[in-house]
């Protein structure tokens, strides 16, 4: 699936961070990987390795989740994902089908297989997504 028209902003990172993971802000206003079930502001479009962070790389572009807007974005899956699954953040900001009491971040439009750990899946950002 071709991803286009993703609006991104560049933010300072609080530590090394992977590409294509859900992120949120820490108390210092820096981007960090979202915790399991947490709300997110977007998805990283680039990684910052530990070596890069130590060497001074501190900024990363983030595809933003816009209020009322729905746009496709790639996210690393932590487990199997089916088309139509409502997606939330799993550990380390990875995508997983949602469970009760988790922030709903979008809807999967691609499949991530049963061995999906670290496989990319495309979702449509949609914080209003509902489990049916």
């Amino acid at each position: 699936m071709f991803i286009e028209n993703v609006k991104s902003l560049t933010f300072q990172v609080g530590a090394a961070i992977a590409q294509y993971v859900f992120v949120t802000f820490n108390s210092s206003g820096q981007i960090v990987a979202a915790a399991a079930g947490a709300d997110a502001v977007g998805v990283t479009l680039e990684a910052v390795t530990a070596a890069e962070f130590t060497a001074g790389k501190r900024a990363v572009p983030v595809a933003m989740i816009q209020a009322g807007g729905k746009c496709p974005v790639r996210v690393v899956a932590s487990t199997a994902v089916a088309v139509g699954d409502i997606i939330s953040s799993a550990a380390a900001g990875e995508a997983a089908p949602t469970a009760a009491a988790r922030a709903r971040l979008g809807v999967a439009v691609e499949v991530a297989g049963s061995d999906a750990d670290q496989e990319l899946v495309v979702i449509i950002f949609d914080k209003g997504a509902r489990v049916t």
Side-chain angles (χ1 to χ4, degrees):
M1 171 174 279
F2 184 66
I3 307 296
E4 60 181 80
N5 297 325
V6 173
K7 298 199 186 250
S8 67
L9 295 172
T10 300
F11 294 99
Q12 296 295 307
V13 294
I17 196 162
Q19 183 178 28
Y20 301 129
V21 295
F22 289 116
V23 292
T24 191
F25 292 106
N26 66 15
S27 60
S28 299
Q30 300 165 319
I31 290 293
V32 294
D39 201 358
V41 297
V43 172
T44 54
L45 297 176
E46 293 177 7
V48 175
T49 67
E52 290 172 330
F53 187 81
T54 300
K57 182 176 180 183
R58 298 285 198 271
V60 65
V62 174
M64 301 303 294
I65 299 174
Q66 300 173 33
K70 296 178 172 80
C71 69
V73 68
R74 289 179 181 89
V75 184
V76 174
S78 67
T79 188
V81 173
V83 171
D85 279 353
I86 305 300
I87 300 299
S88 64
S89 179
E94 296 177 350
T98 196
R102 290 185 175 227
R104 295 177 175 109
L105 302 175
V107 179
V109 293
E110 278 187 348
V111 172
S114 58
D115 60 345
D117 191 28
Q118 302 299 303
E119 185 176 328
L120 291 178
V121 63
V122 175
I123 71 161
I124 303 291
F125 282 147
D126 183 1
K127 286 193 175 188
R130 297 286 177 249
V131 177
T132 56

